[in-house]
Amino acid sequence: QVQLVESGGGLVQAGGSLRLSCAASGSTFSRSSITWFRQVPGKEPAFVAAILNSGDSTVYADSVKGRFTISRSNTNNTVYLQMDSLKPEETAVYRCAAPPVGTRHRVALMNWKVYRSWGQGIQVTVSA
């Protein structure tokens, strides 16, 4: 099991940037893919980006390609999400999550129902 804690959220103007961090603890972090989802009230979590355990493969939602960058430091047990050119409609609670160890397929990574370990979430608000 891996425990996850997000930080770095807040209020930013449209077009601005934020960097989220997901600090992990637990023995399986270096073997775990980590994914960012975002959620608004009344809706299911929406896939944003994922990074495999080695850090050499990433997956992005089409809506964030070219603006968001996911990265990880297995030394610091942290995954980052750099978000640039933010839009008001991207206001949400952002949560990092870890799927079962060994989950690598794109379809599985994008399915929030696969995940068992979740952070508590952090608010990102993008003002118009």
Side-chain angles (χ1 to χ4, degrees):
Q1 284 283 352
V2 60
Q3 292 76 45
L4 305 169
V5 178
E6 302 93 341
S7 62
L11 174 64
V12 64
Q13 288 188 331
S17 298
L18 280 175
R19 189 176 82 154
L20 304 183
S21 297
C22 174
S25 60
S27 61
T28 63
F29 175 77
S30 63
R31 295 185 289 131
S32 297
S33 300
I34 300 292
T35 301
W36 285 97
F37 290 87
R38 59 191 179 193
Q39 189 171 20
V40 297
K43 292 193 175 181
E44 294 184 347
F47 173 81
V48 176
I51 187 165
L52 298 189
N53 63 308
S54 61
D56 61 353
S57 185
T58 57
V59 182
Y60 293 95
D62 288 343
S63 61
V64 307
K65 282 180 182 177
R67 297 186 298 117
F68 288 15
T69 303
I70 189 170
S71 60
R72 70 188 290 159
S73 168
N74 285 346
T75 300
N76 296 331
N77 280 13
T78 303
V79 170
Y80 305 97
L81 184 68
Q82 176 68 39
M83 306 186 295
D84 298 321
S85 301
L86 281 161
K87 304 174 183 179
E89 56 265 37
E90 294 179 312
T91 293
V93 173
Y94 283 69
R95 301 178 72 184
C96 57
V101 171
T103 303
R104 297 177 61 85
H105 195 278
R106 177 187 179 95
V107 172
L109 289 171
M110 297 178 71
N111 182 0
W112 67 271
K113 295 180 181 179
V114 168
Y115 291 74
R116 294 294 177 260
S117 298
W118 291 83
Q120 81 285 355
I122 194 159
Q123 180 69 42
V124 171
T125 302
V126 185
S127 63

